[in-house]
Amino acid sequence: FDGIATYYGPGVGSCGEMDTDEELVVALNQPQMNNGANPNQSPECDKKVQITGEGGESTTARIVDTCPQCPRGDLDLSPKVFKIVCGDLDKGRCKIKWKF
């Protein structure tokens, strides 16, 4: 998928677990998250995604939350993942390619 990465402060996400800024975790866009009545049971929870930034830096992260405002293809990254893939947090957003 091609998309835009932003970052957020993880906490208790829609998958029902507590995560921190220092973990390799992401929030998947709502259209691809497949949340049902109980988002904790989403089939996407805990799936791994390989993310590559526009500069070629990449890492693998785990899906732990939903990004309600993100369109299809976009990911909201923990600060640690954003720094690896996009660089400085001051950028705020960057182009990415990713896959399950």
Side-chain angles (χ1 to χ4, degrees):
F1 302 97
D2 291 317
I4 299 293
T6 51
Y7 69 91
Y8 76 113
V12 177
S14 63
C15 292
E17 64 181 65
M18 180 67 179
D19 295 290
T20 69
D21 289 0
E22 292 304 311
E23 293 181 75
L24 297 174
V25 295
V26 303
L28 181 61
N29 63 78
Q30 190 159 355
Q32 290 180 278
M33 189 59 176
N34 299 318
N35 284 337
N38 181 352
N40 292 347
Q41 296 175 351
S42 169
E44 308 310 326
C45 286
D46 289 322
K47 278 190 178 176
K48 299 225 191 269
V49 291
Q50 176 72 34
I51 311 157
T52 304
E54 54 197 349
E57 302 83 359
S58 67
T59 193
T60 300
R62 201 166 38 89
I63 298 170
V64 298
D65 204 354
T66 306
C67 178
Q69 72 276 14
C70 293
R72 183 177 181 80
D74 288 4
L75 297 176
D76 214 4
L77 314 177
S78 70
K80 182 168 187 164
V81 174
F82 191 91
K83 287 177 192 174
I84 293 169
V85 174
C86 301
D88 195 290
L89 294 179
D90 289 341
K91 283 178 121 177
R93 55 192 296 132
C94 76
K95 292 180 181 176
I96 56 168
K97 290 185 181 298
W98 64 274
K99 62 184 175 183
F100 289 103

